[in-house]
Amino acid sequence: MASEQPLAAVTCTAPVNIAVIKYWGKRDEELVLPINSSLSVTLHQDQLKTTTTAVISKDFTEDRIWLNGREEDVGQPRLQACLREIRRLARKRRNAWDGDPLSSSLSCKVHVASVNNFPTAAGLASSAAGYACLAYTLARVYGVESDLSEVARRGSGSACRSLYGGFVEWQMGEQTDGKDSVARQVAPESHWPELRVLILVFRAEAVVPARMAEMTRCIRERDFPGFAQLTMKDSNQFHATCLDTFPPISYLNAVSWRIIHLVHRFNAHHGDTKVAYTFDAGPNAVIFTLDDTVAEFVAAVRHSFPPGSNGDAFLKGLQVRPAPLSAELQAALAMEPTTPGGVKYIIATQVGPGPQILDDPSAHLLGPDGLPKPAA
């Protein structure tokens, strides 16, 4: 990319991650340093991703950003922290490499457009995917090649975990400057191909260090019962702590509790831990299971939470073959079906890779003028 070109554009995608050992809070609010290490599963971008385009040009008079088609305040502190950090790293690289063709870009303003391919209502960590994608895309457009954990983390703590595919640890670190609070991959996405993830989207309504080591072991050994039990215990403890605050914070609703009972009864019927739930800061459930159990569990969800009028669109993402619900399992669930539509739909996905660069110029969200392309 030659310096005399007036425009540089890069488009990338980044994944959503789901914490199985959660991040419980910050020890440093400004640097976004966590009080504990956390571990997450990166979801596949075929189903869930953020796409971001960054364009730099001498013609731009100010930094601007559009999220899901709407212009937002570029002065937002977390966004400014990411931009400052990327530009600092770019200056550092330019000083080390005199004559860097990208050096002139440092004086240029940037336009950014970002879209999610999943609804915000899905209750997924859109800020993690969003800031990971922002950091990764800005790094490419400004020629930054260093570790991006700090850049992504300044936007949203858990975003640093979306910089990698597979299974990812965010190390809390010990240094006060946060330089050792970084994300690293525990195992790649190819490590556990049988693992499946179901996101149950509900109808809208008005001990950690030891666990980290044990969870890492469960992933390395592909020990699903151990992985599942730790995931549920960590989720339960997180939400118990939320309830124990004053005033209490209650993220789980009646449907959440029915899902919890459904999972435990399903496992009890099989005499084994075949399914696990986890809940983030919201009522929607994320379910982990293996590919040989997905069809039967989806049948159990369909029985307990009949689809509304969208019967055909109830299951999105990976294909799941229809499976009958045995009379024995139906009896073991001991659940009368709810009013149709309690669970709006299910997104079926799997473990996936980290951020990707899209080489096709037609994928850019911004046009040659640096403004959002009109909707197709």
Side-chain angles (χ1 to χ4, degrees):
M1 197 179 290
S3 59
E4 63 269 10
Q5 284 186 305
L7 204 66
V10 176
T11 298
C12 302
T13 65
V16 168
N17 75 75
I18 297 294
V20 290
I21 299 289
K22 298 190 187 302
Y23 143 51
W24 287 52
K26 306 182 190 84
R27 67 178 192 271
D28 186 307
E29 198 73 37
E30 186 186 347
L31 295 178
V32 193
L33 301 179
I35 59 171
N36 65 285
S37 296
S38 56
L39 205 152
S40 62
V41 179
T42 299
L43 304 187
H44 205 289
Q45 294 176 60
D46 282 355
Q47 284 76 46
L48 303 153
K49 68 182 174 190
T50 295
T51 302
T52 300
T53 296
V55 176
I56 49 178
S57 171
K58 293 188 177 105
D59 296 332
F60 297 163
T61 56
E62 59 181 346
D63 294 331
R64 295 176 73 182
I65 187 164
W66 291 264
L67 301 180
N68 292 318
R70 212 176 81 186
E71 186 161 13
E72 302 287 346
D73 177 16
V74 80
Q76 206 264 356
R78 295 195 296 173
L79 188 57
Q80 282 298 312
C82 289
L83 281 168
R84 270 197 312 272
E85 187 60 17
I86 277 287
R87 284 167 170 157
R88 182 186 72 77
L89 291 170
R91 274 193 301 276
K92 187 174 166 185
R93 182 177 185 273
R94 182 190 65 181
N95 293 338
W97 298 85
D98 283 344
D100 177 359
L102 283 168
S103 62
S104 63
S105 68
L106 280 170
S107 59
C108 295
K109 298 298 184 182
V110 66
H111 286 191
V112 176
S114 191
V115 296
N116 298 327
N117 75 339
F118 55 91
T120 307
L124 297 163
S126 56
S127 64
Y131 277 105
C133 206
L134 177 70
Y136 193 82
T137 309
L138 288 174
R140 296 300 169 281
V141 87
Y142 280 114
V144 171
E145 293 172 359
S146 51
D147 182 85
L148 298 174
S149 289
E150 184 168 4
V151 184
R153 197 188 71 221
R154 296 294 287 272
S156 172
S158 54
C160 64
R161 296 192 308 245
S162 279
L163 291 171
Y164 298 93
F167 302 85
V168 184
E169 176 185 6
W170 174 17
Q171 298 172 332
M172 62 179 283
E174 295 176 357
Q175 297 174 19
T176 53
D177 64 2
K179 297 299 179 192
D180 59 347
S181 182
V182 295
R184 70 173 186 90
Q185 190 181 66
V186 170
E189 63 270 19
S190 57
H191 172 72
W192 202 347
E194 305 84 7
L195 191 64
R196 294 291 179 271
V197 186
L198 301 172
I199 295 126
L200 276 53
V201 179
F202 301 169
R203 185 178 59 229
E205 294 179 5
V207 183
V208 170
R211 242 177 230 170
M212 281 291 295
E214 179 64 7
M215 180 63 87
T216 302
R217 181 199 67 75
C218 290
I219 288 169
R220 290 204 167 120
E221 297 177 10
R222 292 184 280 269
D223 169 6
F224 186 78
F227 171 88
Q229 288 167 30
L230 277 172
T231 296
M232 291 187 282
K233 284 176 183 174
D234 195 76
S235 179
N236 290 350
Q237 194 175 348
F238 173 81
H239 287 280
T241 301
C242 289
L243 285 173
D244 200 34
T245 60
F246 188 82
I249 305 165
S250 179
Y251 287 118
L252 306 185
N253 62 22
V255 181
S256 312
W257 285 108
R258 281 181 64 91
I259 293 289
I260 289 171
H261 295 316
L262 175 68
V263 167
H264 285 299
R265 288 170 188 173
F266 186 95
N267 287 338
H269 169 74
H270 285 286
D272 195 6
T273 309
K274 288 188 163 284
V275 181
Y277 56 77
T278 188
F279 296 84
D280 282 336
N284 297 317
V286 176
I287 301 292
F288 290 97
T289 188
L290 299 179
D291 57 356
D292 59 4
T293 306
V294 172
E296 188 182 31
F297 186 74
V298 167
V301 173
R302 273 186 182 273
H303 165 76
S304 304
F305 303 92
S309 55
N310 66 330
D312 293 343
F314 186 63
L315 191 64
K316 304 171 187 279
L318 295 178
Q319 284 201 315
V320 177
R321 58 177 175 76
L325 190 68
S326 70
E328 294 81 13
L329 177 53
Q330 193 169 321
L333 295 178
M335 281 189 169
E336 286 298 315
T338 60
T339 305
V343 171
K344 282 176 69 177
Y345 55 86
I346 300 171
I347 303 170
T349 186
Q350 59 192 333
V351 187
Q356 315 280 310
I357 299 175
L358 303 183
D359 293 322
D360 180 3
S362 69
H364 292 332
L365 303 175
L366 296 170
D369 58 358
L371 297 175
K373 290 179 179 176

